[in-house]
Amino acid sequence: MPAASAIKVMVVDDQTSMRAMIRRALQDLGFKDIRDKPGAVEALPAVKTDRVHLIISDYNMPDMDGLQFLEAVRADPVIGKTVFIMLTGSADREVVQKAAALGVNNYVVKPFAPAALKEKIERVFGELT
Amino acid sequence: MMRRIPIVQGEHAVVAEPGVIISTLLGSCVAVCLQDPVARVGGMNHFLLGEPTEGLGDRVGQERYGVHAMELLINRMMQQGAARNRLRAHLYGGANIIAGLGAIGSSNAAFARRFMETEGIAVGRCELGGTKARKVEFMPYEGRVRSSVVADAPPPVLNIKPLTPPDDGDVELF
């Protein structure tokens, strides 16, 4: 059972309020080591230099969307195995299928309750303490 | 001939053509009218922040509805050519019209103001609060908006579709 406090997380969403909300949800779940970026363009070099265990990224973002971000992460020999959870809209069924093909670890449909986020994280990491 | 798009709680509409009016009727809910005056794309949503059936002890639950409603609207506008840094907002609603419901309208209004400040979106007209229902009409392409007080009574409930999390189990991959 991994301790949530030991898991380093990168949150990527172009909406400031959403990033803040996800941060609070993660803090409520016991996560302490959280950083965030407003876009994949900023997040990609950041997770290469400051490696994290978990990336939680929105799909719908300008410049580089969540699928492109996922693809870039998976293609990197160093950070390629980082756990990646995608946030999608309810109508993004095709996105989820593409993400699965690219190797996403799980996905969460917005709007989500903290319990849903916890469940999806635990399906990857196991029960959190 | 003007085309009308009425929306109710939980809905939004985006328009990038002239001669279209998006309208809604508000009580304690909030409607945000957003426009990019350069791309001439605009839209309106209508959201109730509080979710009466869950999340009362959940500090994230109370705001995820408003945050989500705003994200849906902004994303759809951006898909139609709007740029986030050009967005301008008009805020309506948030009245405390039903005795016994507390200050739900005020908290909705506060959320809307806080959201625009956090996201750096300029606010034009702001008619929030009070005790009366409002009708709002927005012409996104032209950038015109008007509101009128409807009555002392709360607005009729039309086909209310609460913003509940969709079933995310239909694509079972894991």
Side-chain angles (χ1 to χ4, degrees), chain B residues 45-103:
Chain B
N45 61 14
H46 176 156
F47 58 85
L48 171 68
L49 291 187
E51 169 55 60
T53 57
E54 63 169 343
L56 291 176
D58 169 5
R59 65 196 173 109
V60 179
Q62 292 302 306
E63 73 181 68
R64 64 194 167 105
Y65 300 93
V67 170
H68 180 69
M70 288 307 305
E71 184 184 35
L72 288 178
L73 177 61
I74 293 170
N75 281 348
R76 196 155 153 215
M77 286 177 61
M78 288 171 70
Q79 283 164 3
Q80 296 201 33
R84 182 183 285 274
N85 61 0
R86 292 196 299 252
L87 295 182
R88 181 179 170 84
H90 307 292
L91 314 178
Y92 295 93
N96 296 312
I97 53 175
I98 304 175
L101 269 189

Side-chain angles (χ1 to χ4, degrees), chain A residues 59 66-67 70-71 74 84 86 88 92-107, chain B residues 173-174:
Chain A
Y59 159 66
L67 286 177
L70 170 63
E71 194 168 16
R74 289 289 178 260
F84 197 113
M86 185 97 76
T88 70
D92 294 338
R93 186 188 174 92
E94 197 180 324
V95 171
V96 172
Q97 289 168 337
K98 283 182 181 168
L102 288 171
V104 79
N105 295 90
N106 220 321
Y107 69 101
Chain B
L173 299 168
F174 310 99

